[in-house]
Amino acid sequence: MQQDAGGGNVERDAGARPPEGLDTSTPNIARMHHYFLGGRETFQADRVAAERALAALPAMRTSAIASRQFLRRAVTFLVSEAGIDQFLDIGPGLPAKGAVHEVAHEVNPRARVVYADYDPVVVSHGNAMLAHSDQSVIVQADLRQPDALLQVPEVRQHLDFDRPVALLLLAIVHFVSDADDPAGIIARLRDALPPGSYLALTHVSADLVADKEAARRALAAYAKASARGWSRSRAQILRFFDGFELVPPGLVPKPRWRPLPGDPAADLPDISWAGVGRKR
């Protein structure tokens, strides 16, 4: 995979042969998000589905950018103010500038990060761009199978679960259906973390979209993708923080979570709630 001067991925040659076994006909949620961020490591099916979502709800692009900005602010807070030096980032998606280990190492070069994703393409790219010796590793594991994820040898070897860990679930839980019990999944992960650990979570919500029909059409663009999207209310998302005490300013639209002084983006509309909580 090549990169342009700005760190973005160069779009695949339409005539190039895709890797063996890679399904390019089904829109992939990681590649769609990558497309929203301006990345070019996508295929036609991804771009068509992403453009369909953007046509219904253009704010999805600014929300994707706001997700990266929230990640930076949340990780910086966790390292510099909360003293966290271990991270479990589930569902990181395709690598982009400002990954968790890069932000954390700006404050604490000894911080350790485990990335976990069920998508083998994400893991393949992650091994090339996110894994760095004993500082960060990436494993293939599914959020919907938390017990199996927690028992992956690399997870247990890389993180010390006797000390606080920050669990990052950014723009991933809205791809878990109610039938898969997202609250139960998060509770299982929470119970594996020692007191003083943190949860940082963002989740799409039609609460924040004035045009409900537009929100419905945007989510419909994911109907045939690698995972469907699910909108949830603020009250439903608050349940995911059971057992955690939200740090100020609580559960708010992403740009309003601890914006930098004078940041004009803090006033931009958003389509996701964001929060950081400390395990009691």
Side-chain angles (χ1 to χ4, degrees), residues 10-220:
V10 176
E11 187 171 355
R12 286 184 180 274
D13 180 349
R17 182 186 299 274
E20 185 176 352
L22 178 63
D23 179 7
T24 63
S25 63
T26 299
N28 178 280
I29 59 172
R31 294 195 299 263
M32 289 173 67
H33 186 78
H34 188 64
Y35 180 82
F36 295 148
L37 290 170
R40 299 175 182 175
E41 186 71 9
T42 60
F43 295 97
Q44 183 177 1
D46 310 315
R47 297 189 288 273
V48 169
E51 285 294 343
R52 186 178 299 126
L54 288 171
L57 197 60
M60 293 189 73
R61 172 158 282 150
T62 56
S63 182
I65 295 170
S67 290
R68 301 301 298 180
Q69 296 167 338
F70 171 78
L71 181 156
R72 169 168 285 278
R73 298 195 305 276
V75 171
T76 299
F77 160 78
L78 289 166
V79 180
S80 62
E81 297 187 43
I84 297 294
D85 62 0
Q86 303 187 103
F87 294 83
L88 176 56
D89 182 9
I90 303 178
L94 288 171
K97 276 188 173 182
V100 173
H101 71 279
E102 294 173 338
V103 177
H105 289 164
E106 291 175 5
V107 181
N108 182 356
R110 300 181 65 183
R112 299 167 72 87
V113 181
V114 170
Y115 299 98
D117 205 295
Y118 82 107
D119 188 331
V121 175
V122 169
V123 175
S124 175
H125 286 313
N127 275 320
M129 300 180 67
L130 298 178
H132 294 278
S133 181
D134 62 343
Q135 296 179 326
S136 59
V137 298
I138 185 165
V139 301
Q140 186 170 353
D142 195 327
L143 172 62
R144 294 167 296 184
Q145 300 171 7
D147 293 320
L149 187 156
L150 290 167
Q151 292 306 315
V152 173
E154 292 90 342
V155 175
R156 310 303 301 188
Q157 294 164 6
H158 202 69
L159 301 178
D160 179 0
F161 283 88
D162 290 327
R163 299 192 300 109
V165 176
L167 170 64
L168 307 183
L169 298 174
L170 307 182
I172 184 63
V173 180
H174 49 240
F175 292 114
V176 179
S177 70
D178 288 342
D180 286 320
D181 188 18
I185 290 170
I186 295 173
R188 176 66 191 92
L189 293 168
R190 177 201 65 210
D191 292 347
L193 302 177
S197 294
Y198 283 80
L199 167 64
L201 180 146
T202 65
H203 195 296
V204 164
S205 176
D207 289 356
L208 297 170
V209 181
D211 187 342
K212 307 303 181 187
E213 176 59 22
R216 186 199 65 77
R217 292 198 308 273
L219 285 174

